[in-house]
Amino acid sequence: MQIFTPEELEEDILTDLLEEINELYEASEQTLIELELRPEDNELQRSLFRSVHTIKGDLGLVNFKPMIPLLQHVEDLLDYLRKGQVSYTSTMSDLVLLAMDKVKIFVSACFNEGKAEYDADVIARLIDKVKQISPENVGLHEALLAEAVNILNPSMGQDNTSPDDSVHEHSASQISTALPSTGIPKDISKPNQADILFFREMMKPIEKRSNYWEGRSDRISKLAFYINQIAGSPINNEQLAVACYVHDFGMAFMPLKLIHKKEKLTDADFNLIRSHVYKSSRLLEHLDHWNDARNIVMQHHERIDGSGYPLGVKGEDICDGAKLLAIIDSFEAMTQNRAHKDNKRQMKKRAVIEINKSPVGQYCPRWLGYFNAGMSNLLKVQ
């Protein structure tokens, strides 16, 4: 590792630099989410180029030399993109985000500690991969991008799930930028409303039992309504609300030492946690008018490729409610604190991108497309 010590700069100059990089980083994350939906959108491509170009220029002004060559080659790649000479892919998104992560960490260290560590060998190997990408070797692009991403983050998988084309039917003007104010459906019968309110109240003390759960059922239910609306409401909102509130009821019967365990979970731990699906679904077992909700609860950990649990159901045998809840449940887990030391809370924009990088077959592409469309609109106002 090498040590970089910046020239003496006034604190307000460094503060302004860090603030602008943070703002451009946020803008770039939003742009990358939009590009997942509209990869051919030239204005988005140009916007991403401008963000990287501006950060590179800012670093040049304060003579932060070690990061400038990396940004220059990322900028060159994005220049090809905006000129239509290369195609946007999700792996390119990974590369841009990870490179900007590295720059952000470098600048923060200079600001907070007066110096920054960096690995010149890693940067050199990364630049070597990126500069090999050209309009003349299109067939090699994805492999070179994957190798570059692997240099930056060896643990990052490369399989991607692409949003379904149906998401493009929903323009920004057609989608509300506000979540519903409540997780309880409106204009429903009083008995059904009473049931849902009962389930909601029942979950409150269960959520308070853990340091990490409070408010999660309301958050999940409101987001589920929102995405269902974008999809044209194919799922009955009453059934969806009940499923959102009770799908983790079975976690109430897990030992707290397991819920709060910071070490790696064992196979026995996983088996115990997986049993919560049965416990949750049994709550609705004799309530025939909530059969659809019970089905959603039973299937929300199933996967499209059949690798989920508890029954290994796959594809079209999984109901729409479960396909949607699987995505939102993952998003909730990523964006809230959890006990395990490796499960760090992520920014919402980053969580959306991470979900899109999940292995093919984990989530339904159609519902992932609706989720992307909804989150793209919600995150515009944040």
Side-chain angles (χ1 to χ4, degrees):
M1 297 290 283
Q2 287 73 40
I3 303 291
F4 171 77
T5 304
E7 300 170 2
E8 270 201 40
L9 296 168
E10 293 182 13
E11 185 174 325
D12 60 344
I13 294 177
L14 275 175
T15 300
D16 290 345
L17 174 64
L18 189 58
E19 285 179 357
E20 180 161 48
I21 287 178
N22 284 335
E23 288 174 5
L24 290 168
Y25 182 93
E26 291 278 326
S28 297
E29 282 193 315
Q30 174 64 35
T31 302
L32 288 166
I33 292 173
E34 296 275 348
L35 279 168
E36 291 289 337
L37 301 172
R38 301 190 299 280
E40 305 298 328
D41 190 314
N42 192 241
E43 181 51 43
L44 292 173
Q45 295 167 354
R46 293 198 299 268
S47 175
L48 189 59
F49 171 87
R50 288 193 297 268
S51 292
V52 173
H53 177 75
T54 303
I55 292 173
K56 187 198 74 174
D58 287 346
L59 295 188
L61 288 174
V62 293
N63 210 23
F64 279 21
K65 293 181 179 179
M67 294 293 114
I68 293 175
L70 170 59
L71 287 175
Q72 178 62 61
H73 285 85
V74 172
E75 181 185 315
D76 291 343
L77 174 63
L78 296 176
D79 190 38
Y80 289 143
L81 176 66
R82 69 174 180 157
K83 291 176 178 176
Q85 295 172 308
V86 305
S87 297
Y88 172 84
T89 70
S90 292
T91 317
M92 186 184 293
S93 155
D94 286 335
L95 173 63
V96 175
L97 267 182
L98 289 169
M100 292 180 75
D101 274 341
K102 190 168 284 293
V103 172
K104 188 177 177 183
I105 291 168
F106 180 91
V107 174
S108 295
C110 288
F111 179 78
N112 294 319
E113 302 165 25
K115 60 182 180 180
E117 284 189 346
Y118 68 100
D119 192 325
D121 177 61
V122 166
I123 292 175
R125 288 191 291 121
L126 179 60
I127 288 173
D128 180 63
K129 294 299 179 187
V130 176
K131 73 181 182 181
Q132 290 182 52
I133 299 171
S134 75
E136 289 74 39
N137 61 355
V138 173
L140 299 178
H141 289 183
E142 195 63 13
L144 288 167
L145 286 167
E147 289 173 16
V149 168
N150 191 57
I151 290 169
L152 282 166
N153 185 351
S155 67
M156 192 172 225
Q158 297 307 315
D159 288 326
N160 301 301
T161 299
S162 299
D164 185 83
D165 289 341
S166 61
V167 74
H168 299 292
E169 298 172 7
H170 303 275
S171 68
S173 62
Q174 293 174 311
I175 303 173
S176 169
T177 55
L179 284 173
S181 58
T182 175
I184 309 296
K186 297 178 181 179
D187 302 320
I188 63 175
S189 69
K190 287 188 176 180
N192 283 0
Q193 184 183 63
D195 275 3
I196 297 172
L197 287 170
F198 168 75
F199 292 132
R200 181 177 184 268
E201 290 303 310
M202 177 190 69
M203 288 303 298
K204 284 184 178 179
I206 292 173
E207 290 178 355
K208 288 181 179 178
R209 185 166 179 255
S210 168
N211 300 329
Y212 308 101
W213 291 347
E214 192 162 4
R216 72 187 310 271
S217 296
D218 277 328
R219 289 191 296 270
I220 287 173
S221 186
K222 287 190 285 188
L223 184 54
F225 286 177
Y226 183 77
I227 305 302
N228 187 38
Q229 179 187 20
I230 289 170
S233 300
I235 307 165
N236 179 283
N237 269 338
E238 296 175 37
Q239 301 288 336
L240 185 59
V242 171
C244 288
Y245 280 113
V246 308
H247 75 284
D248 274 347
F249 170 77
M251 294 299 288
F253 303 95
M254 300 295 123
L256 275 179
K257 65 179 181 181
L258 173 59
I259 293 169
H260 293 161
K261 187 173 183 179
K262 297 184 182 297
E263 299 78 25
K264 185 177 180 179
L265 299 179
T266 66
D267 289 343
D269 292 335
F270 277 119
N271 287 335
L272 183 54
I273 287 174
R274 285 170 181 156
S275 71
H276 83 275
V277 174
Y278 289 109
K279 294 179 173 67
S280 299
S281 65
R282 283 178 189 144
L283 181 66
L284 304 173
E285 190 168 14
H286 300 295
L287 300 174
D288 292 344
H289 57 298
W290 296 122
N291 272 342
D292 288 348
R294 182 169 182 260
N295 201 31
I296 294 172
V297 172
M298 272 295 291
Q299 295 182 347
H300 78 281
H301 281 295
E302 302 288 3
R303 294 185 174 185
I304 299 302
D305 62 4
S307 65
Y309 67 89
L311 300 176
V313 179
K314 63 181 180 180
E316 292 307 308
D317 292 331
I318 304 173
C319 65
D320 277 337
K323 291 172 182 175
L324 172 57
L325 184 54
I327 297 169
I328 295 177
D329 199 40
S330 294
F331 177 76
E332 167 71 17
M334 289 181 182
T335 55
Q336 301 299 319
N337 289 322
R338 289 181 287 168
H340 194 274
K341 61 184 178 182
D342 293 333
N343 293 332
K344 296 179 180 177
R345 180 177 182 174
Q346 297 191 33
M347 293 176 60
K348 291 179 180 179
K349 293 169 186 173
R350 189 56 176 268
V352 174
I353 292 170
E354 289 297 315
I355 286 173
N356 277 274
K357 304 301 173 281
S358 299
V360 173
Q362 181 166 345
Y363 302 115
C364 171
R366 181 168 63 91
W367 281 101
L368 188 58
Y370 294 131
F371 172 76
N372 286 340
M375 294 310 301
S376 176
N377 275 273
L378 288 175
L379 295 175
K380 280 180 183 175
V381 297
Q382 292 191 0

